[in-house]
Amino acid sequence: IEKKFYNENLVVYALDVGKGFAMKAGRPGSYLFARARGAGSFYDVPLSVMKTDVEQGYIYLAIKIISSKTKTLIGENEKFILRGPYRNGLHGLSSITGKKGKKQKILIIAKGIGIAPGILVSQSLGERASVDMVIDMEKISKEFIRDFIDEQPHADAPNGEEKENAGVQYVSLTDKDADRKLEKLMQKKKYDSVILLVSDYYIEHFGNLIKKVLPGADLAVSNNFHICCGEGLCGSCSIDTSGGDSIKMCKCQLKGEEFLNNVFR
């Protein structure tokens, strides 16, 4: 339906997939394998679903152009071959989505294109959660943010609460004072859950910070493993746990703390 470049290495596709498929793809943590027509199956690229419009039957995919697979994909202007949806794009998410009762407070910390699955989380949980975002703008643009993220402070923010501590903040995670800014924000807002959509280095670094500042908060993290088949067959995403078991990260779900303990032990 639409193909829009936000910079030379970032493009967003809006795809007409029908209402049924769009509804299935709207669950947080969903991803698809996509390839251009005429390309072999080894050109499948796993892509997080960024946004859905069930009424129109549309889904939105953000693609960061890296190498031959993604270059082949963005050369397609009419139809994609899609496989999915798969559910394991985020680890630890079930602890957050399964919470009942009070309207929970969620913080999403994302760097670059990592914000894509965060947009779907915000869309899905926005009615029963207050979602704040801290975004590192590396390799994405303000226009991209304007098109897909509501930057306004939450209407239900308590009276007197500082506006900059609600909605969206922009922080470079490489800055030396990033830890201090995030710690101050988490101490002030007392989030029930935190979602890290960053590289493994930052998952380990900020995951340990979150455990220190918010020991009772649930943690979810992006699945950054090299996923080739998505079916648990090829073994490219396998890890050995601290207990000596081998698990396949495209299928097995770990809680956030389990992820930290097993992947970064």
Side-chain angles (χ1 to χ4, degrees):
I1 300 301
E2 185 181 8
K3 176 184 181 182
K4 182 174 181 178
F5 280 87
Y6 287 90
N7 58 46
E8 61 180 5
N9 293 314
L10 176 61
V11 61
V12 172
Y13 280 90
L15 305 178
D16 183 352
V17 296
K19 293 182 179 181
F21 192 93
M23 185 178 295
K24 292 177 182 178
R27 178 174 161 183
S30 294
Y31 68 94
L32 307 169
F33 283 92
R35 72 176 187 268
R37 294 178 301 168
S41 60
F42 46 82
Y43 274 87
D44 278 358
V45 181
L47 299 169
S48 291
V49 179
M50 182 174 68
K51 181 182 176 183
T52 62
D53 183 339
V54 175
E55 193 167 314
Q56 297 291 329
Y58 298 168
I59 62 171
Y60 294 80
L61 304 177
I63 302 172
K64 180 182 177 183
I65 304 167
I66 298 174
S67 190
S68 56
K69 285 187 177 183
T70 44
K71 286 178 181 177
T72 301
L73 197 59
I74 66 159
E76 179 60 61
N77 292 311
E78 293 184 19
K79 292 183 179 181
F80 285 151
I81 298 171
L82 301 178
R83 174 162 57 90
Y86 295 85
R87 305 300 188 191
N88 230 37
L90 298 174
H91 282 277
L93 191 62
S94 58
S95 298
I96 299 173
T97 57
K99 282 186 176 180
K100 307 293 183 182
K102 70 171 186 175
K103 190 171 185 179
Q104 62 173 313
K105 293 183 290 185
I106 298 173
L107 175 63
I108 295 174
I109 302 173
K111 185 175 176 66
I113 194 62
I115 192 59
I119 293 171
L120 189 63
V121 169
S122 182
Q123 178 187 8
S124 175
L125 299 182
E127 294 298 320
R128 53 192 177 99
S130 173
V131 181
D132 291 348
M133 293 184 177
V134 171
I135 303 173
D136 186 323
M137 290 286 291
E138 183 183 19
K139 298 181 181 178
I140 57 175
S141 67
K142 273 285 189 181
E143 185 183 8
F144 174 86
I145 296 296
R146 285 195 302 269
D147 282 355
F148 294 103
I149 295 176
D150 180 8
E151 298 181 84
Q152 298 302 312
H154 300 303
D156 58 353
N159 291 333
E161 184 172 290
E162 297 178 23
K163 292 296 185 182
E164 64 268 26
N165 282 348
V168 179
Q169 293 191 53
Y170 301 99
V171 175
S172 174
L173 299 183
T174 58
D175 287 352
K176 59 183 180 182
D177 62 344
D179 286 27
R180 179 186 59 80
K181 290 179 179 178
L182 291 175
E183 185 171 353
K184 182 180 177 182
L185 176 61
M186 289 188 290
Q187 287 174 339
K188 184 180 181 75
K189 297 296 289 286
K190 305 294 184 185
Y191 293 101
D192 302 299
S193 305
V194 182
I195 301 173
L196 285 173
L197 306 175
V198 292
S199 67
D200 285 346
Y201 169 81
Y202 288 112
I203 287 177
E204 181 179 17
H205 180 76
F206 291 121
N208 289 324
L209 177 65
I210 292 162
K211 285 170 61 180
K212 182 184 77 171
V213 179
L214 299 172
D218 288 307
L219 176 65
V221 302
S222 53
N223 188 346
N224 298 329
F225 282 79
H226 295 292
I227 296 175
C228 291
C229 75
E231 303 289 356
L233 298 175
C234 69
S236 65
C237 61
S238 296
I239 64 164
D240 293 325
T241 68
S242 56
D245 298 317
S246 180
I247 61 175
K248 296 173 181 177
M249 299 299 280
C250 68
K251 290 296 184 186
C252 295
Q253 262 286 310
L254 297 179
K255 293 183 178 179
E257 191 163 331
E258 291 176 333
F259 189 94
L260 291 176
N261 293 337
N262 284 290
V263 177
F264 304 113
R265 67 184 188 277

